[in-house]
Amino acid sequence: MEIKRTQMRLLGLTLGAAVVLGGCSGGGGGGGTAAGTGSPAPATPAGSAKPTAAAVDTKSYAIKVYNAGFALDRPHIPREQDPIRQMIEKKLNIDFDLTIVAQDAFNKLNVMIAGGSTPDLIWSNRAEAVKLYQQGVVATLDEALNQTPKLKALYDDKWWQGMKFEGKTIGIPSYDDISGINGWWIRNDWLKKLNLKVPTTPDELLQVLRAFTNDDPDGNGKKDTYGILVGANRGMDQLSLMFGVNPSFHDVNPPYVSLDNGKLVYDNADPRMKDALGYLNTIVKENLIDPDWVTLVDDAKFKERIFKGKVGFTLNDWRLMEPNYTKQMQDIGGSVPEWVVIPSMKGPRGDQALEVQKFQKNMWVISKEAAKDPGKLKRIMEMLEYFYTDKEIYPYLAYGVKDVHWKEEGGKIATTDAFLDPNNFWIRHYAFVRKGDDPLYFNIRNPKTNDYQAINRKYIKENPVFPYLSQDPADTLYTDRIKYVQEMNIKFITGKEPLSKWDDYVKTLESKFKLGDLMETYRKQLVQAGILK
């Protein structure tokens, strides 16, 4: 799972569309083995066209790349052991110098920039890319894009709008941001045992959660089950969306803003949020939820609670019933429950969203220093065009080394056990090109899994606000405002602060934290983007 990248975003979820490439200066034709890997030496994929720049400009360029793909907590292997890097370098006539940083990546990048060592190609989220642009670090790319027509045609205008700031293109889309990853899962076996129907409204869901908690659904004669398993950063947003608002518990840099009938709304000060928080407070007050929900942020620990078989309703990604997970259910909980995905419940105003539509927020930016050399800029752009549009290179980037991490038989590609081995996750650093619906990359084994995601995708809330909003550098209250909102949300949900204090909370946002100034900043940004008039 691509959790590490998710922690860095904006991102994340979606750190999700990456490619498994390789490279090296050595090259080497087919037939031998790459040093130290025991894998076939790199060979240029048959049928893939060499970029125009390599044919016209014979100069070799050193391209320094900062962060790429997923599994950034895994170190990259040396060039001589990396057939994918060798392939890239030979194909494009470049030195592909990849730096992988697991934690505090943007601060470390700023240190490099301050020291005069700005990378040529940088992975970034939109917020950080805008900062880099405002600091004069990254180049605009509109003219360069005209020289790579296949890359430009790969994405529609909606995607390219996300790459613009102040009307100029400052980035190239990186990995696919995926909508519909997470959905509501319910224990259908518990529903049958207690003679309950699938809930379709918030009130019906409450009744089901009460039964799952109080009516001994597992039949062991003990009161040891909970109706719902969610965490502060997983599920609270989705429950709130039944009421038409999104508190953005999960995001480290949330704008909390949406459009409601053309009106710009700060969700966490909207009366609908008060209703949502009241609903969540009922769930907590009646002990229908796993009591560790506030601190349960680790994905492995969260899933372990599911595998134990003591919860009946939860939010999880669409792969919950894949064999690797059902085995853990059997090993940890002693059985494989009948988990099924259900549609999002319809709220009191007709809202039935599961998540807000993901817009392309992650991107590649190119430094102004690199762009000073027209030949180097062109080579970088053609490299990206090659990565994202060449069908022959895709499996090398998305899956790894041929005949090691994947095999091809009868024209069909299948990944091997080595593809899933964490010791080989350096290949995920190339996976930024992976498609958001690639069943091989996501190791889909259960034929129903894609159907589950299809259900989730039906309940995506459009939000044209993203990704046009960015932090005003002059807004000194930005971080403290977010902290205050999130702390108050938790207090309202747990009952430490009564909802009778809601109006006081909103007044504090408006006076102490200058909510009006923030909304005016956002309004101007949306006017500039053509979203508002």
Side-chain angles (χ1 to χ4, degrees), residues 389-400:
T389 66
D390 190 283
K391 294 180 180 179
E392 299 290 344
I393 195 63
Y394 180 83
Y396 295 88
L397 300 179
Y399 314 135

Side-chain angles (χ1 to χ4, degrees), residues 199-203 241-243 343-353 459:
T200 60
T201 68
D203 287 341
L241 281 168
M242 295 188 298
F243 297 85
S344 180
M345 282 56 66
K346 183 179 290 188
R349 296 173 181 83
D351 297 287
Q352 199 176 5
Y459 302 99

Side-chain angles (χ1 to χ4, degrees), residues 501-512:
K501 297 287 187 69
W502 172 263
D503 291 343
D504 293 337
Y505 153 75
V506 174
K507 289 177 182 177
T508 301
L509 272 177
E510 293 172 342
S511 58
K512 181 177 179 179

Side-chain angles (χ1 to χ4, degrees), residues 375-423:
K376 187 171 192 176
L377 174 61
K378 187 175 183 182
R379 189 68 58 84
I380 293 172
M381 293 294 293
E382 291 181 331
M383 178 181 73
L384 292 173
E385 183 175 62
Y386 173 61
F387 287 168
Y388 286 99
T389 66
D390 190 283
K391 294 180 180 179
E392 299 290 344
I393 195 63
Y394 180 83
Y396 295 88
L397 300 179
Y399 314 135
V401 180
K402 187 176 183 180
D403 296 325
V404 177
H405 307 109
W406 60 278
K407 295 179 181 295
E408 184 173 10
E409 296 180 1
K412 293 185 177 181
I413 293 176
T415 55
T416 68
D417 290 342
F419 174 72
L420 300 174
D421 185 347
N423 292 319

Side-chain angles (χ1 to χ4, degrees), residues 22-35 37 39-44 79-94:
C24 168
S25 57
T33 60
T37 65
S39 57
T44 299
R79 172 189 274 113
E80 63 271 12
Q81 298 177 20
D82 182 352
I84 302 174
R85 180 176 177 179
Q86 295 172 27
M87 180 189 300
I88 293 171
E89 292 184 332
K90 180 181 180 183
K91 178 76 176 182
L92 302 176
N93 191 21
I94 61 173

